[in-house]
Amino acid sequence: MIEVVASMARGPVFLAGEVMECLITFTNPMSHLSTSASSEMLAWASAQIHCQFHASESRVALPAQGTKQDVQAESDTVLIPSRGEGGQCMLDTPPKILFCDLCLDPGESRTYSYSEVVPNDGPPSFRGQSVKYVYKLTIGCQRVNSPIKLLRVPFRVLVLHGMPEPPFPQDEEVAPSNPFLEEEEGGRRDDRPLERALDMLTITSRRCPHLFNITNMRGKVAKFCIFKTVYRLGEDIIGTFDFSEGDIPCIQYSVSLQSEEEIQQGYQRRPGQSISVTGHGRHLESCLHTASTHFSLPVPLNVTPGFSTDIVTLRWRLHFEFVTSREPMESHNVLQNQPEVTVWTGAEVVNDYIMWAHLCFPTEYHLLLMVL
C-alpha cells in the first residue's frame, strides 16, 4: 500500500500563464497492525494538467463524436488523465515523468517537485447551469504487475482578458538595474503574470461616475449614479439614487447582481433558447419620501469573471426593480418649533406597479471581475 499526498504551496487558485508548483510525496506507511512489513516497488509515476468539459444535454447540442475506449488494461503504461470521467477533455499538458523504478522501505517516503505552466489558451474554471470547465492535476503511478492508480487534485484557473503582454527583453548592458533587488529578481519581475495583473488593477481602481436617468411613461423616477463599471472579485459595487428630482413617487427599489450564461447559436439545443440567469446578491430598500440613498453589493469571491468561448458566453449585469405609485403621495411636514411629538403613518392602500430594468455592460463597458 502506497500513500500519495499532493501539496500546492500557493493554494489552489492560479492565473492562466502562471507556473503551478506542487510537491508530491510517496510514502510506504508502517502499519502498527502488521508484524512484518515489506518494501514496495513502483514502476513509474507521472503528472499532468487537464481541463474537463461538461455540458447539459438539455441545453447544449455538441457535435457527435466517435466512441472512445475508456477502459485501460492492467498492463497498459500510458497515463490517460481523464480516464473514468464524464464529459470531454478540452486540453491537457504533456505528462512529466516523476520517477522510474522507485523502491520504498517500510516507513520511507520520497518527495518530488512538479511544475507546469497553466495553459493560456484554455477557458477559466466555471460551474454554470449549462456548462462546466474543471481543471485538475492528475497524478498517475503504477506498481509492477498492477493497474494504474490516479490521484486527481482540482484547482481553479482565472483568465484575465486584456492583460498586457510581457515587455520585450532588453539588452543586459543597457537595461536599468535596481541595486536594492537581486539580479535575477530585478530582471524577471515584469515577466511574471501576477506582476502584470497587479499593474492592470491600477486601471480598475480608477473612478469615473456614470449617470443614468430612470424614467417610465409618466415621467422621471430617479437619477442613478455608479462610480465605475470594472470590478474585481471581492470588491463592493456601490451606487447612489437621487429621488429629489423625480416626478413619480418611488415606494421601494431593489438591485440584484446577476450573471448571464448564453449558449452560442451554433450549440443551442433549440432555436431562441433562453439565457440562463443566476443571482449573486440583492439589495432591497423602502424609499418613500427619501431624497437620496445608496446600495452596496459585494462581488462574491467564488464566481467566474466574464468570458467567451466557442460554446458559451458569460456576462454580468445589474438588475433593477422599482415600485412606484400611480398617484402623488402626500408628505408629512414637521414644523421646526413643534412642541408635541407626532407620529406619521403610511397609507394603507397604494395604487402602485413594478417597473424593472437591466443595466448591462457591453464589451467596452463590461463588468470585468478578477481576483489576485
Side-chain angles (χ1 to χ4, degrees):
M1 181 178 182
I2 297 294
E3 292 183 355
V4 183
V5 177
S7 175
M8 297 180 181
R10 272 200 57 251
V13 181
F14 298 90
L15 291 174
E18 189 179 2
V19 177
M20 184 188 70
E21 296 182 353
C22 181
L23 296 179
I24 305 171
T25 303
F26 298 84
T27 305
N28 182 7
M30 177 77 74
S31 177
H32 65 280
L33 299 177
S34 61
T35 58
S36 62
S38 59
S39 300
E40 292 285 352
M41 186 70 181
L42 293 178
W44 59 270
S46 65
Q48 68 182 115
I49 297 173
H50 73 101
C51 176
Q52 202 73 8
F53 169 72
H54 304 265
S56 172
E57 296 182 356
S58 61
R59 299 187 60 85
V60 182
L62 297 176
Q65 294 183 349
T67 59
K68 295 183 179 180
Q69 188 70 19
D70 193 41
V71 179
Q72 191 164 9
E74 293 186 359
S75 59
D76 196 352
T77 59
V78 178
L79 174 61
I80 303 176
S82 58
R83 176 171 61 93
E85 288 194 311
Q88 303 177 9
C89 184
M90 296 292 295
L91 60 87
D92 55 357
T93 60
K96 290 186 177 181
I97 302 297
L98 299 177
F99 61 80
C100 291
D101 297 333
L102 175 64
C103 182
L104 293 176
D105 295 329
E108 185 181 4
S109 63
R110 294 284 184 87
T111 300
Y112 298 88
S113 177
Y114 170 81
S115 63
E116 183 63 83
V117 178
V118 180
N120 277 315
D121 54 350
S125 299
F126 176 63
R127 293 181 178 269
Q129 300 183 27
S130 302
V131 300
K132 292 194 301 182
Y133 294 100
V134 182
Y135 281 84
K136 295 181 181 180
L137 169 63
T138 300
I139 304 167
C141 63
Q142 184 179 27
R143 293 194 298 181
V144 179
N145 299 325
S146 298
I148 296 177
K149 299 297 183 179
L150 300 179
L151 171 64
R152 297 186 175 97
V153 182
F155 63 96
R156 186 181 178 191
V157 174
L158 296 177
V159 179
L160 301 186
H161 299 283
M163 193 164 63
E165 296 294 331
F168 187 82
Q170 294 178 309
D171 188 81
E172 295 182 359
E173 297 181 357
V174 298
S177 60
N178 190 335
F180 300 100
L181 295 178
E182 295 182 3
E183 182 178 355
E184 182 180 359
E185 181 181 0
R188 296 175 52 189
R189 183 181 185 275
D190 294 336
D191 296 338
R192 300 174 184 172
L194 279 177
E195 298 296 341
R196 290 185 279 125
L198 288 174
D199 294 338
M200 189 177 177
L201 285 180
T202 306
I203 302 176
T204 65
S205 62
R206 298 174 182 173
R207 293 193 172 189
C208 181
H210 300 266
L211 300 176
F212 302 89
N213 288 323
I214 302 171
T215 61
N216 59 12
M217 295 181 296
R218 298 186 297 117
K220 182 178 179 180
V221 178
K223 179 183 292 184
F224 172 67
C225 176
I226 189 169
F227 299 102
K228 59 178 184 175
T229 56
V230 181
Y231 293 89
R232 305 187 303 270
L233 296 182
E235 192 174 4
D236 291 337
I237 302 176
I238 300 176
T240 62
F241 290 97
D242 184 4
F243 298 99
S244 60
E245 301 178 0
D247 303 323
I248 310 300
C250 184
I251 303 173
Q252 180 180 280
Y253 76 90
S254 68
V255 184
S256 303
L257 177 63
Q258 299 177 346
S259 61
E260 295 180 333
E261 184 181 349
E262 181 180 8
I263 304 300
Q264 305 292 2
Q265 187 173 2
Y267 293 90
Q268 293 182 0
R269 178 62 66 178
R270 53 190 177 276
Q273 184 171 302
S274 61
I275 300 175
S276 301
V277 178
T278 304
H280 301 274
R282 187 187 184 198
H283 177 91
L284 178 65
E285 184 176 338
S286 299
C287 57
L288 183 61
H289 304 315
T290 300
S292 63
T293 184
H294 73 283
F295 72 91
S296 177
L297 282 175
V299 181
L301 288 171
N302 60 339
V303 298
T304 301
F307 70 97
S308 180
T309 64
D310 296 337
I311 301 176
V312 65
T313 297
L314 181 70
R315 294 185 296 264
W316 289 87
R317 73 184 187 186
L318 289 177
H319 173 81
F320 297 86
E321 292 184 3
F322 298 90
V323 180
T324 60
S325 174
R326 298 180 182 272
E327 301 175 355
M329 302 293 295
E330 181 181 357
S331 61
H332 181 73
N333 296 324
V334 179
L335 300 179
Q336 185 175 3
N337 297 324
Q338 185 172 347
E340 299 180 358
V341 178
T342 60
V343 178
W344 178 82
T345 304
E348 296 181 357
V349 179
V350 177
N351 295 324
D352 60 338
Y353 69 99
I354 298 178
M355 58 178 292
W356 57 269
H358 296 296
L359 179 58
C360 302
F361 300 97
T363 303
E364 59 272 21
Y365 293 109
H366 64 285
L367 186 57
L368 178 63
L369 307 179
M370 54 187 167
V371 64
L372 297 175

